[in-house]
């Protein structure tokens, strides 16, 4: 690589004008390495190197005339000095095609000449050098060689820094505009091509800002959605826990009742078994006694029967012969008579039939009934307020019951949210409803209320739900019809909120009708944060304007309508800028200076009010374009009409500074004097026909302000203005009189040429 010209110092005394061949060796502090080679080897290396440099190789100390390949020589030197594993050198040995290094890139103290030199040693230069140090000259020369090697291989020391400057590449022209249609950045030269000729093009910075705004809006929506999802997940988690607790409580209740029923049935079983055993024993004992008695009577009957039969078969003589037998017979006869007279109980004392045992399960039935008894319901979950669920005086509240509880009715309670005022208690209202929703009426507009609900059945009331805040819709705004400013392409509408509490935003609704009374299409401008809005309109149309206020509860009812005509310009005078000697009419289109000579009324302290000249300003719509209006004047009246910036000094006359451009008329001694003033300067212009109606054309596009005599369609004068911001119409009366402004006038043809 060619780098420059010159030479490095310290590379030899005779090397200044001679090329030399440079072979790699231990250039990195070789004097610090261990001398591990014997002296004889050192001598042989020195001789070998000298022989190589004179192109006379040696083998075994004998010079050989046969030429050797450079690669072989390098390999031998590498092997001789043990550089096979030297990672610093690697394979970067200089070959025959080694590029030259020009020394012009070296530091200034290394510049010793302007000629180029080759950093490769030749045989003659090597023979002329003192090779006393390891066969390569003095230690200083070897150090110089090391530095040269480091420099040539990009490893220069701090003293020899080498900087490589890359070649500059031709860069493609960067895109500087953005094609909105194709949604891609392009170069400014491409926007007039056929591909992008009809497309909407915007500066790249503006497109970037628009993209950033869109990203921020999407991020805001995403964050809002994440918050809603987190709230919903938290709500679901609460419901899940409530359902789990309710079912767990019912499981415990069923288990307790079931165990109680089993214990009652077991007790009744033992009682019935014991009663049956006792009754059985009693019956069996009665029957056994009766059986024994019957057996005894039977034995007695048999005995008497046998004795009597024996006695009856004996001879009669025996009875007479033996008087004792007669006595016995009489005894048994009496006994038999008594026995026969005894009534024998042949009725069974205990019937064998089993009596039906009626089991009394009334207490079990009572327990079973207690299981089926409906428990008190769990706490309802009141829902967050849904969008558009409220009006200015009512709100729809909804809740849920996430269980199978039987509910007969709900008790909904609410009260206004306390505003933090001490000692002010809000009245609570409670109502009973049957459904899981309720429309609460007779509420205040744009007011927050907190609601809570309980469920009830014949078992009792549930716990109270969490409290939720609902908000009623706002009151309709009030449009300031007198302050509406419009032109043929736009209108600036302002209104009053009509609500004590702030609202979230406003919506402007426009109903366009080609003819008054005809219905048209309604368009809306939404998300308006303030009580003012500039809306774009179509020329020469009639519009009916409505305004709604919005909050979380929903939109308000429509405001009272206001009518806008986009034919010409509409504006009114600003009473806040009016000088104390002037009076503005109710319609805001006429300014009057009275003839009274008494002391003027004290001016209201205001930075917007004129204090030196009797002037007033108008409220012109802040829209660039061409605006035209007319002023009706008296020929004998001293007046000034024109335009001025908002910050025009109120202590100076109109036209006396750089912030106002005016036409001034003064009448004295039957002579009319007209001046077109700006910064106290006026051109020399003579007007022969005094105008009774002056037309004023404000042209933002061409930065001009023109005055016309309307009656004769005459151009009076045109200012070239530097309109770096919006201006407002201004009017001044130096003497008693009045000026009347005419709005809503189409631009005359003679005006369009200027």
């Amino acid at each position: 690589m060619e780098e420059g010209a010159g030479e490095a110092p310290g590379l030899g005394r005779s090397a200044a004008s001679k090329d030399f061949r440079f072979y790699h060796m231990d250039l990195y502090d070789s004097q610090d390495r261990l001398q591990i080679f014997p002296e004889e080897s050192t001598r042989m290396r020195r001789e070998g190197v000298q022989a190589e440099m004179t192109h006379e190789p040696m083998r075994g100390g004998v010079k050989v005339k046969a030429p050797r390949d450079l690669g072989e020589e390098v390999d031998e030197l590498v092997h001789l000095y043990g550089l096979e594993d030297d990672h610093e050198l690697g394979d970067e040995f200089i070959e025959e095609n080694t590029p030259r290094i020009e020394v012009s890139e070296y530091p200034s103290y290394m510049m010793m000449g302007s000629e180029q030199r080759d950093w490769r040693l030749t045989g003659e230069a090597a023979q002329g050098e003192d090779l006393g140090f390891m066969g390569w000259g003095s230690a200083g020369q070897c150090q110089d060689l090391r530095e040269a090697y480091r420099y040539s291989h990009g490893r220069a020391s701090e003293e020899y820094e080498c900087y490589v400057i890359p070649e500059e590449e031709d860069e493609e022209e960067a895109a500087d505009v953005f094609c909105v249609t194709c949604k891609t950045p392009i170069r400014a030269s491409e926007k007039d091509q056929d591909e992008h000729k009809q497309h909407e093009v915007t500066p790249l910075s503006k497109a970037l800002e628009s993209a950033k705004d869109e990203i921020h809006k999407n991020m805001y929506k995403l964050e809002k959605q994440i918050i809603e999802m987190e709230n919903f997940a938290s709500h679901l988690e609460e419901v899940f826990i409530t359902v789990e607790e309710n079912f767990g409580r019912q499981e415990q209740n069923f288990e307790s009742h079931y165990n109680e029923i089993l214990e009652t049935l077991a007790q009744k079983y033992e009682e019935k078994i014991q009663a049956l055993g006792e009754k059985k024993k009693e019956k069996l004992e009665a029957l056994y006694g009766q059986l024994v008695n019957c057996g005894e009577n039977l034995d007695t009957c048999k005995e008497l029967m046998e004795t009597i039969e024996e006695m009856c078969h004996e001879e009669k003589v025996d009875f007479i012969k033996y008087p004792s037998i007669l006595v016995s017979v009489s005894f048994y006869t009496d006994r038999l008579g008594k026995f026969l007279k005894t009534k024998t109980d042949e009725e069974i004392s205990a019937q064998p039939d089993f009596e039906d045992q009626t089991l009394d399960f009334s207490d079990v039935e009572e327990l079973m009934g207690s299981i089926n008894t409906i428990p008190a319901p769990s706490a309802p979950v009141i829902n967050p307020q849904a969008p558009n669920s409220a009006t200015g005086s009512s709100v729809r509240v909804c809740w849920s019951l996430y269980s199978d509880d039987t509910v007969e009715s709900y008790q909904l309670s609410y009260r206004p949210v306390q505003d933090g005022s001490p000692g002010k208690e809000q009245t609570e209202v409670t109502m009973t409803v049957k459904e899981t929703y309720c429309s609460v009426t007779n509420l205040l507009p744009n007011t927050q209320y907190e609601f809570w609900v309980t469920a009830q059945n014949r078992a009792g009331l549930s716990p109270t739900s969490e409290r939720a805040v609902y908000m009623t819709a706002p009151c309709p705004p009030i449009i300031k019809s007198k302050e509406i400013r419009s032109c043929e392409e736009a209108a600036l509408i302002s209104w009053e909120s009509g609500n004590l509490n702030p609202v979230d935003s406003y919506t402007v609704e426009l109903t366009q009708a080609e003819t008054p009374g005809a219905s048209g299409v309604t368009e809306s401008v939404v998300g308006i944060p303030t009580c003012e809005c500039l809306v774009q309109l179509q020329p020469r149309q009639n519009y009916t304007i409505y305004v709604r206020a919005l909050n979380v509860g929903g939109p308000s009812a429509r405001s009272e309508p206001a009518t806008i005509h986009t034919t010409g310009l509409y504006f009114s005078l600003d009473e806040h800028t009016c000088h104390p000697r002037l009076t503005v009419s109710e319609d805001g289109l006429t300014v009057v200076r009275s003839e009274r000579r008494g002391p003027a009324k004290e001016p209201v302290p205001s930075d917007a009010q004129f204090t030196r000249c009797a002037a007033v300003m108008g409220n012109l719509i802040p829209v660039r374009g061409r605006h035209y209006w007319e002023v009706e004047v008296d020929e004998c009246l001293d007046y000034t009409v024109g335009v001025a910036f908002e910050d025009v000094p109120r202590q100076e006359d109109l036209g006396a500074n750089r912030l106002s451009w005016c036409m001034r008329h003064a009448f004295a001694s039957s002579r009319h004097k007209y001046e077109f003033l700006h910064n106290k300067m006026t051109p020399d212009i003579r007007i022969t026909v005094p105008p009774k109606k002056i037309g004023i054309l404000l042209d933002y596009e061409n930065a001009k302000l023109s005055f016309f005599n309307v009656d004769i369609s005459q151009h009076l004068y045109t200012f070239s203005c530097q309109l770096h911001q919006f201006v407002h119409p201004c009017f001044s009366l130096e003497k008693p009189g009045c000026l009347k402004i005419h709005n809503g006038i189409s631009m005359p043809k003679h005006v369009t040429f200027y």
Side-chain angles (χ1 to χ4, degrees), residues 263-309:
E263 291 178 0
T264 303
L265 289 175
Q267 183 179 357
K268 284 191 170 293
Y269 174 79
E270 294 295 336
E271 291 177 355
K272 291 298 180 183
I273 291 297
Q274 185 177 0
L276 288 175
E278 292 177 354
K279 201 159 187 91
K280 173 184 175 182
K281 181 180 178 181
E282 181 183 351
K283 282 194 173 188
L284 290 178
E285 288 178 352
L287 290 173
Y288 180 76
Q290 190 175 9
L291 183 61
V292 170
N293 189 23
C294 184
E296 291 177 351
N297 289 334
L298 186 60
D299 291 343
T300 303
C301 287
K302 285 182 178 181
E303 181 184 356
L304 290 174
M305 184 69 67
E306 290 176 355
T307 303
I308 292 173
E309 285 180 354

Side-chain angles (χ1 to χ4, degrees), residues 99-216:
R100 297 171 182 266
I101 299 176
E102 297 183 9
V103 192
S104 61
E105 294 296 319
Y106 280 74
S108 59
Y109 56 80
M110 295 181 61
M111 302 298 296
M112 298 181 61
S114 59
E115 62 178 308
Q116 297 181 349
R117 58 181 304 180
D118 191 352
W119 290 91
R120 291 175 291 185
L121 285 169
T122 60
E124 294 78 10
Q127 289 178 357
E129 293 294 333
D130 183 10
L131 302 178
F133 182 75
M134 297 283 298
W136 285 95
S138 64
Q141 291 173 337
C142 288
Q143 180 67 22
D144 295 335
L145 288 174
R146 279 194 296 272
E147 292 297 332
Y149 174 79
R150 291 170 181 167
Y151 180 85
S152 63
H153 287 74
R155 292 189 292 269
S157 62
E158 293 181 0
E159 185 179 4
Y160 300 99
E161 288 188 357
C162 178
Y163 299 91
V164 179
I165 301 176
E167 297 181 0
E168 294 184 359
E169 299 180 358
D170 294 336
E171 295 184 0
E172 188 176 346
E173 183 182 354
D176 51 0
V177 295
F178 185 80
C179 179
V180 179
T181 306
C182 299
K183 298 186 182 301
T184 180
I186 61 174
R187 294 188 293 271
S189 58
E190 297 178 357
K191 67 180 182 180
D192 296 330
Q193 297 179 1
D194 294 339
E195 183 180 358
H196 305 284
K197 190 172 183 180
Q198 302 297 330
H199 294 178
E200 182 182 355
V201 177
T202 184
L204 198 59
S205 59
K206 186 176 180 181
L208 180 60
E209 291 297 327
S210 177
K212 287 182 179 179
D213 293 341
E214 187 68 22
I215 291 174
H216 288 315

Side-chain angles (χ1 to χ4, degrees), residues 678-696:
H678 174 64
N679 198 23
K680 298 182 179 180
M681 298 179 65
T682 180
D684 186 12
I685 294 179
R686 302 289 178 91
I687 297 177
T688 57
V689 180
K692 297 181 180 179
K693 186 180 289 186
I694 301 172
I696 302 174

Side-chain angles (χ1 to χ4, degrees), residues 340-351:
L340 292 175
K341 291 179 179 180
T342 303
K343 188 178 181 180
T344 304
D345 187 9
E346 296 179 357
E347 294 291 333
I348 299 175
S349 61
Q351 294 296 326

Side-chain angles (χ1 to χ4, degrees), residues 254-498:
F254 280 131
E255 184 177 0
S256 174
H257 281 280
Y258 177 74
N259 293 332
E260 188 176 354
I261 290 173
L262 289 181
E263 291 178 0
T264 303
L265 289 175
Q267 183 179 357
K268 284 191 170 293
Y269 174 79
E270 294 295 336
E271 291 177 355
K272 291 298 180 183
I273 291 297
Q274 185 177 0
L276 288 175
E278 292 177 354
K279 201 159 187 91
K280 173 184 175 182
K281 181 180 178 181
E282 181 183 351
K283 282 194 173 188
L284 290 178
E285 288 178 352
L287 290 173
Y288 180 76
Q290 190 175 9
L291 183 61
V292 170
N293 189 23
C294 184
E296 291 177 351
N297 289 334
L298 186 60
D299 291 343
T300 303
C301 287
K302 285 182 178 181
E303 181 184 356
L304 290 174
M305 184 69 67
E306 290 176 355
T307 303
I308 292 173
E309 285 180 354
E310 289 179 358
M311 293 176 67
C312 287
H313 283 87
E314 292 183 0
E315 295 181 357
K316 189 174 180 184
V317 177
D318 291 338
F319 280 102
I320 299 172
K321 184 179 182 179
Y322 300 101
S324 58
I325 296 175
L326 183 60
V327 174
S328 297
V329 171
S330 299
F331 172 76
Y332 282 108
T333 301
D334 294 338
R335 184 178 175 187
L336 179 59
K338 292 180 180 179
F339 180 77
L340 292 175
K341 291 179 179 180
T342 303
K343 188 178 181 180
T344 304
D345 187 9
E346 296 179 357
E347 294 291 333
I348 299 175
S349 61
Q351 294 296 326
D353 297 337
F354 181 79
E355 299 178 1
D356 290 336
Q357 299 293 324
T358 302
L359 299 179
D360 185 10
F361 286 103
S362 59
D363 49 353
V364 177
E365 291 176 356
E366 184 178 352
L367 288 174
M368 294 295 292
S370 66
I371 293 178
N372 297 325
T373 299
I374 300 172
S378 57
V381 179
I382 195 164
N383 300 339
Q385 184 173 10
N388 303 326
S389 62
T391 65
S393 60
S394 67
V395 65
R396 181 183 173 90
V397 185
C398 301
W399 58 90
S400 305
L401 194 67
Y402 291 93
S403 66
D404 295 331
D405 294 342
T406 301
V407 177
E408 297 177 358
S409 62
Y410 298 92
Q411 290 184 356
L412 178 64
S413 302
Y414 66 92
R415 68 179 181 184
V417 175
Q418 298 188 14
D419 55 4
S421 301
K424 187 178 181 181
E425 285 293 333
Q426 301 291 349
T427 304
E428 295 183 4
V429 180
T430 301
M431 58 179 60
T432 301
V433 294
K434 295 290 186 180
E435 306 295 337
T436 56
Y437 60 88
C438 180
S439 292
V440 184
T441 58
N442 299 324
L443 303 178
L444 297 176
N446 200 35
T447 304
Q448 290 183 332
Y449 291 85
E450 57 180 357
F451 290 85
W452 63 96
V453 64
T454 56
Q456 65 179 359
N457 56 23
R458 63 175 177 267
L461 285 173
S462 72
T464 305
S465 68
E466 295 290 334
R467 302 198 175 199
V469 175
Y470 280 59
M471 191 170 190
T472 53
C475 290
I478 303 172
I479 298 178
K480 301 177 182 178
S481 300
K482 295 181 180 180
E483 298 183 11
I484 293 178
R485 294 171 272 172
S486 65
C487 61
E488 292 192 348
E489 295 150 356
L492 182 65
I493 308 164
S494 58
W495 57 86
E496 294 179 357
S497 173

Side-chain angles (χ1 to χ4, degrees), residues 530-542:
T530 62
C531 293
E532 189 176 69
C533 179
L534 181 66
V535 294
Q536 301 296 321
L537 304 174
Q538 298 295 326
R540 293 176 294 279
Q541 298 292 332
N542 297 324

